[in-house]
Amino acid sequence: DGQTWHSVTVAPVGDGLYTITGVDITDQVLFERTRRDFVTNVSHELKTPAGAISLLAETLTDCADDADAVRHFSMRISQEAARMSELISKLIELQKTQTIVPDSSLVPIEVAPVVRQAVDDVSVLSERKSMIVSLNTACDVTARISPKDLRSVVKNLVENAVRYSDEGGRIGVTVDRCDGGARIRVVDNGIGIPAGEQKRIFERFYRVDRGRSRDTGGTGIGLAIVKNVVEEAGGSVTVWSQPGDGSTFTICLPPVETAGSGVTTDDDDG
Ligand code: ADP
């Protein structure tokens, strides 16, 4: 909010005189505030399914003789547990992407095979909604990024494209070159994102429509992971979207300097 914070020390130097020292602690205050908000958000997000599980289990105990009710409440419990488990996995993924020191030991990789793996990771979800995912990848597009991280980024974007589109929707994933670097685009013809919300969707836990997002699953962390990873690699992520028409997420990764850099392809399935 543009405020600056100072820690002020007043020390007597004799004869009724004092020295006043002001140290700018804005960064520490903002860091502490972000940390506190994060812990509050995590606690809240975990408390909701935990509370639901506990209530549902109580209800289940009360209606143990009714087979239909037992089935219904057991299913609800397992849905809430799955939600909790998804949230915890995403938190671990987010934590892993919050490296402060850029990893200079990373070797350049071929982008297309990793993107293909990520699309494959989501195929169960897309097939369940009868969605067509078309993949268009140029060869020899390279980037200096961990293949695991890149896979996680693309997976998050394609998962969202599936989640926020109707049955039978179409998704396009392309890899090409842009300004000498790599460009990855994920295009959907789903529900879209209102202009006023487009900046905020990259914040941790931010969801455009919490009610709808709760029904469709999701944690509000996916795009925060995307932004962390991409910026860590020196790149950028942007969104274009029109409610009702769909969304396009574009990732640009900087060019790889060619001198002495052996390009590897990633065949690691992990
Ligand atoms: P979530 O787990 O809720 O999907 P994300 O951080 O991945 O969390 O996304 C944040 C929010 O941005 C989502 O809740 C959704 O409202 C919106 N969003 C993300 N991707 C899309 C998309 N492809 N189409 C429409 N809305 C999207």
Side-chain angles (χ1 to χ4, degrees):
D1 46 16
Q3 271 179 320
T4 53
W5 296 79
H6 291 89
S7 157
V8 177
T9 317
V10 181
V13 289
D15 294 335
L17 294 173
Y18 295 84
T19 56
I20 301 174
T21 322
V23 179
D24 187 337
I25 55 160
T26 312
D27 284 349
Q28 283 114 293
V29 170
L30 291 180
F31 178 79
E32 179 53 28
R33 196 183 282 174
T34 309
R35 193 192 62 79
R36 237 183 305 144
D37 287 352
F38 182 62
V39 173
T40 309
N41 281 331
V42 171
S43 317
H44 175 77
E45 295 291 329
L46 285 173
K47 220 173 157 226
T48 312
I53 288 173
S54 149
L55 256 173
L56 288 162
E58 254 174 55
T59 320
L60 186 62
T61 318
D62 293 342
C63 62
D65 297 333
D66 180 344
D68 281 345
V70 168
R71 238 190 320 273
H72 171 76
F73 288 114
S74 306
M75 205 180 73
R76 292 280 320 276
I77 287 174
S78 101
Q79 281 168 346
E80 292 295 336
R83 199 180 139 60
M84 239 173 142
S85 168
E86 187 195 354
L87 181 62
I88 291 165
S89 304
K90 288 276 175 186
L91 283 170
I92 293 169
E93 207 178 322
L94 178 71
Q95 165 72 19
K96 283 195 196 138
T97 64
Q98 283 171 325
T99 349
I100 292 150
V101 187
D103 192 349
S104 56
S105 65
L106 285 174
V107 290
I109 55 154
E110 175 86 40
V111 172
V114 183
V115 169
R116 245 176 268 133
Q117 281 173 334
V119 169
D120 217 45
D121 291 338
V122 189
S123 61
V124 176
L125 288 181
S126 57
E127 279 162 21
R128 204 180 288 159
K129 284 182 84 172
S130 312
M131 297 183 72
I132 297 164
V133 184
S134 52
L135 194 57
N136 203 330
T137 56
C139 299
D140 298 328
V141 178
T142 56
R144 196 179 285 278
I145 187 168
S146 133
K148 266 202 180 104
D149 284 352
L150 180 60
R151 187 167 167 175
S152 156
V153 160
V154 178
K155 198 172 153 207
N156 273 299
L157 292 181
V158 181
E159 263 173 11
N160 279 349
V162 173
R163 184 173 289 141
Y164 302 108
S165 296
D166 294 327
E167 298 254 338
R170 301 180 77 90
I171 297 171
V173 181
T174 57
V175 175
D176 58 10
R177 250 170 248 106
C178 175
D179 296 334
R183 180 169 61 183
I184 303 161
R185 268 176 303 179
V186 178
V187 185
D188 66 57
N189 62 351
I191 62 170
I193 306 159
E197 308 273 3
Q198 289 171 18
K199 261 215 175 86
R200 301 209 58 192
I201 54 174
F202 295 97
E203 292 172 19
R204 289 175 303 198
F205 298 109
Y206 191 81
R207 279 175 274 176
V208 173
D209 178 345
R210 295 185 78 82
R212 186 185 162 111
S213 299
R214 193 165 285 279
D215 292 343
T216 51
T219 56
I221 300 178
L223 290 179
I225 293 174
V226 170
K227 190 165 186 279
N228 275 355
V229 169
V230 170
E231 288 184 352
E232 199 65 52
S236 63
V237 52
T238 50
V239 60
W240 172 93
S241 188
Q242 190 80 48
D245 282 350
S247 311
T248 299
F249 284 84
T250 306
I251 287 167
C252 290
L253 295 169
V256 169
E257 66 289 5
T258 41
S261 56
V263 174
T264 63
T265 49
D266 174 56
D267 290 324
D268 170 19
D269 268 338

